[in-house]
Amino acid sequence: MNILEIISKKRDAKELSKQEIEFFIQEYTKGEIHDYQAAALVMAIYINGMNDREITDLTLAMAHSGEILDLSRFGKNIVDKHSTGGVGDKVSIILLPIIAALGIPVAKMSGRGLGFTGGTVDKMESIPGYRTNVDIDEFIKNVEKVGISMIGQTMNLAPADKKIYALRDSISCVENIPLIASSIMSKKIASGANKIVIDVTVGKGAFMKNKEDAQKLSEQMVKIGKLAGREVRCVMTPMDEPLGYAVGNSLEVIEAINFLKGDMPKDLKEVVLELGSNMIALAGKGKNIEENKVKILETIENGKAYDKLIQMVKNQGGDISYIKDTAKFKKSKYISAVVTEKTGIVKEINAEEIGKLACYLGAGRINKEDKIEENVGIILNKKVGDRVEKQDFLAYICANNKAKLVQAEQKILEIYKIM
């Protein structure tokens, strides 16, 4: 078997066998296949597509290119949650302590942010002392001890996917549903879950810009799950404007803490309830989605979800005084309220533009080695549909650089569309 034959088959729109796909993944991961050869095959896949069996074989081959986390000790239903990304997405920080408080084990590996979308690991690390770099034995012990652990991806999970994703990015082959679906599912399978809820965000601040593509991606991941012996539910959620009000690492953690204390922005609440109710159903803890939503609200109201967050943070070395008193979080050097000269209704707040602006202020990374500024970002004061009067505050800019602050103030006025 050789890579040239495999490339030519897919170039000619022919179906690849399981053995050919596994050969490509194994040899490329080891470095025996060159980047230019892999690029040729990826481009052929991008142009000619793959059928469901090929996509599933690609997913499983990438999942098994590294370690597979065994979570079977926590029961037969291991539920995980994944988001395709967005702006202001602090859902995991809110939802997973709720799920754990309901007696469902949570073993969550999360990633860092890159570009205009934030990463859960970066957000959790804004809590002083909280450790995300935890080895697997400790990770498992944490879940056994307090029912939940949220860490960074410390294992060698799906290394083939990391190589192929970087390659896709460099040859403009990112936006392809078979490649996106196999990338997401390979990481989820390697993470040890057999029940997976996927938040497929759709809109200006999401990877999928329209509902049609989001639906296709969702259907493809459900098919992969079925063929790979995993139950997958996809929930499409809107991402035209930022989720909630805060965009930025410690700012989002504060909003998440306040949510668990009962201060629940409407759009954020809807996403948490929809995803959470499906996680509960997959875990076998309640088939009725509406009843599950009531359980989630009760777990917030009785304080058990908030208590679970404190347990998790304390167990991983975090200073829980910051959870109990969010005023302790270090503030940015400059905080400026952006004032409008317009009167009308907010028609649009482009989530991608807000995400890019937060990144410019230092809340995100353009390159993987960039250092995050934990206390910078944007706090929206007005959302889509809100009425504004002249001299109303649209948003607050949190910055550590005066020149960037001035630029951000002007940019906010451009991003808000008021009519």
Side-chain angles (χ1 to χ4, degrees):
M1 198 176 296
N2 72 70
I3 187 61
L4 294 180
E5 291 176 357
I6 295 170
I7 293 168
S8 63
K9 276 186 75 174
K10 187 48 69 176
R11 179 201 63 200
D12 297 337
K14 294 177 181 176
E15 183 178 342
L16 299 181
S17 70
K18 181 174 185 285
Q19 291 74 24
E20 286 169 330
I21 290 169
E22 288 177 347
F23 171 81
F24 164 63
I25 292 299
Q26 289 167 7
E27 296 304 302
Y28 184 50
T29 304
K30 290 190 295 185
E32 297 298 323
I33 291 173
H34 299 294
D35 277 345
Y36 63 83
Q37 294 172 316
L41 180 57
V42 168
M43 183 65 76
I45 291 169
Y46 184 94
I47 294 168
N48 292 319
M50 286 180 135
N51 63 30
D52 292 343
R53 197 271 308 156
E54 285 178 296
I55 297 169
T56 302
D57 287 341
L58 177 63
T59 301
L60 291 173
M62 290 197 297
H64 288 274
S65 65
E67 299 173 81
I68 300 286
L69 185 57
D70 182 6
L71 299 176
S72 59
R73 72 186 73 190
F74 298 120
K76 64 178 182 179
N77 293 330
I78 310 301
V79 184
D80 199 359
K81 171 257 175 196
H82 177 81
S83 170
T84 56
V87 178
D89 184 355
K90 67 282 296 178
V91 171
S92 289
I93 303 170
I94 296 166
L95 178 56
L96 299 182
I98 295 170
I99 296 299
L102 287 166
I104 301 166
V106 173
K108 178 65 175 170
M109 288 187 179
S110 298
R112 298 189 181 278
L114 187 64
F116 69 86
T117 60
T120 300
V121 170
D122 297 319
K123 294 166 191 177
M124 293 303 296
E125 286 181 349
S126 71
I127 302 170
Y130 187 87
R131 295 183 301 113
T132 62
N133 187 17
V134 169
D135 66 34
I136 295 306
D137 287 341
E138 185 178 351
F139 178 52
I140 297 295
K141 287 175 183 175
N142 287 344
V143 179
E144 290 175 332
K145 182 179 177 182
V146 298
I148 181 171
S149 186
M150 293 171 63
I151 67 170
Q153 291 182 350
T154 56
M155 288 181 72
N156 182 32
L157 294 176
D161 173 63
K162 292 173 189 172
K163 286 191 74 171
I164 291 171
Y165 188 90
L167 187 70
R168 285 165 53 206
D169 198 26
S170 69
I171 61 172
S172 195
C173 284
V174 173
E175 295 177 353
N176 176 266
I177 286 172
L179 294 171
I180 295 169
S182 59
S183 175
I184 291 171
M185 290 299 295
S186 68
K187 288 190 284 282
K188 290 295 100 182
I189 291 168
S191 296
N194 64 338
K195 311 277 185 175
I196 305 160
V197 175
I198 300 178
D199 177 9
V200 181
T201 55
V202 56
K204 294 182 180 72
F207 206 61
M208 298 289 106
K209 302 298 183 186
N210 59 70
K211 288 183 179 178
E212 292 76 18
D213 285 346
Q215 185 64 40
K216 288 177 186 175
L217 177 61
S218 299
E219 290 171 358
Q220 190 64 68
M221 289 190 290
V222 170
K223 287 178 184 175
I224 292 171
K226 189 172 183 179
L227 291 170
R230 269 75 172 177
E231 186 174 356
V232 177
R233 288 192 188 182
C234 292
V235 179
M236 289 194 293
T237 63
M239 188 52 73
D240 279 321
E241 66 175 328
L243 193 57
Y245 289 87
V247 181
N249 297 286
S250 66
L251 304 179
E252 292 187 43
V253 169
I254 291 167
E255 186 170 48
I257 293 165
N258 290 337
F259 189 105
L260 292 176
K261 288 180 176 180
D263 182 6
M264 297 179 275
K266 184 174 180 292
D267 59 343
L268 189 54
K269 179 181 177 181
E270 289 174 358
V271 173
V272 168
L273 290 177
E274 196 63 39
L275 295 175
S277 60
N278 279 281
M279 289 185 77
I280 294 166
L282 285 185
K285 298 288 186 177
K287 293 181 179 178
N288 188 296
I289 293 298
E290 294 307 313
E291 288 178 4
N292 291 348
K293 290 178 182 179
V294 172
K295 289 178 188 176
I296 290 170
L297 292 173
E298 287 175 348
T299 306
I300 294 169
E301 288 164 11
N302 62 26
K304 289 182 179 178
Y306 171 73
D307 289 343
K308 187 59 69 174
L309 176 67
I310 288 178
Q311 276 187 325
M312 178 184 73
V313 170
K314 184 178 181 180
N315 192 53
Q316 287 181 223
D319 187 342
I320 60 172
S321 69
Y322 285 75
I323 310 299
K324 295 180 177 180
D325 179 12
T326 56
K328 289 189 68 175
F329 279 95
K330 185 180 177 183
K331 296 189 173 48
S332 59
K333 189 174 180 181
Y334 304 104
I335 299 176
S336 172
V338 180
V339 177
T340 182
E341 294 299 318
K342 296 181 179 180
T343 295
I345 305 294
V346 178
K347 295 296 184 182
E348 180 184 319
I349 310 170
N350 188 305
E352 182 172 350
E353 293 303 315
I354 291 287
K356 287 178 179 177
L357 186 58
C359 190
Y360 168 73
L361 291 168
R365 296 180 183 84
I366 301 299
N367 301 302
K368 286 184 179 180
E369 61 273 11
D370 290 349
K371 191 176 186 303
I372 288 283
E373 293 184 57
E374 295 171 347
N375 55 3
V376 303
I378 300 155
I379 301 174
L380 306 180
N381 193 50
K382 298 291 184 179
K383 298 270 284 186
V384 171
D386 288 348
R387 179 162 184 83
V388 297
E389 304 290 341
K390 188 176 179 179
Q391 296 298 304
D392 274 351
F393 296 152
L394 296 180
Y396 298 90
I397 308 293
C398 302
N400 291 325
N401 180 292
K402 189 63 180 288
K404 288 185 176 183
L405 176 73
V406 173
Q407 289 287 326
E409 288 171 334
Q410 182 58 43
K411 188 65 178 175
I412 283 288
L413 293 172
E414 296 171 8
I415 292 171
Y416 267 83
K417 307 299 181 190
I418 300 168
M419 299 176 70

